Amino acid sequence: MKKEQAKAEDIVPLPRHSENFKVNRMISYIEKHWNSTIELEDIASWAGASSGYTSALFSKTMCMTFVQYMNALKVNKAATLLKESNMSIKDISDYCGFQNTSYFIRTFHNLSGVTPGEYRKQKKAD
């Protein structure tokens, strides 16, 4: 099976494939429902495992926690929307499933080094 690599334009490079079958199923589920509110407990239940086991397996296999993976995936999706749409930052935050806009801005800044508004200005200037 061919490994899917992170996209070159992603702010946070994310592995899209694992050697672990259960983690691959989790990633597949996350990719399909990325802009919904997904909790670790949801993934664990869907995978038929405990939350503790799911958390440990995901962290060990993906080299990041479930929450880090979800935030990175959502920030990458938001970055695409910032470049390719005229949606407001609040609308992008809502669409990407962040609980509130200030958390989105803070998370985006922590992962990219710039705010969503600064990122949009940089990309529009390019």
Side-chain angles (χ1 to χ4, degrees):
M1 180 183 286
K2 182 182 171 194
K3 285 188 180 184
E4 187 178 331
Q5 299 298 318
K7 297 180 211 164
E9 68 270 11
D10 283 348
I11 289 176
V12 181
L14 289 174
R16 307 279 194 204
H17 178 80
S18 165
E19 299 303 321
N20 185 292
F21 176 74
K22 274 195 180 208
V23 174
N24 282 339
R25 289 188 64 219
M26 291 177 205
I27 292 169
S28 176
Y29 181 88
I30 291 166
E31 287 284 332
K32 288 178 185 164
H33 302 92
W34 66 270
N35 65 341
S36 302
T37 302
I38 303 173
E39 302 290 335
L40 178 65
E41 293 77 19
D42 300 327
I43 293 292
S45 175
W46 182 80
S50 71
S51 296
Y53 174 78
T54 301
S55 177
L57 178 64
F58 197 91
S59 294
K60 179 181 177 188
T61 306
M62 302 303 286
C63 299
M64 62 177 60
T65 68
F66 170 76
V67 171
Q68 289 170 327
Y69 185 88
M70 287 300 302
N71 283 339
L73 179 62
K74 290 177 179 190
V75 163
N76 287 341
K77 301 284 188 178
T80 300
L81 291 171
L82 288 164
K83 287 188 297 192
E84 298 176 0
S85 80
N86 290 321
M87 291 172 68
S88 72
I89 290 173
K90 181 187 179 333
D91 288 346
I92 290 172
S93 171
D94 292 344
Y95 180 78
C96 290
F98 283 92
Q99 297 296 330
N100 62 62
T101 305
S102 62
Y103 180 69
F104 165 63
I105 293 168
R106 189 170 53 251
T107 302
F108 194 98
H109 183 266
N110 288 342
L111 294 176
S112 70
V114 295
T115 67
E118 292 167 338
Y119 182 83
R120 175 175 267 166
K121 285 179 191 171
Q122 289 174 359
K123 295 303 173 182
K124 297 282 182 183
D126 289 346

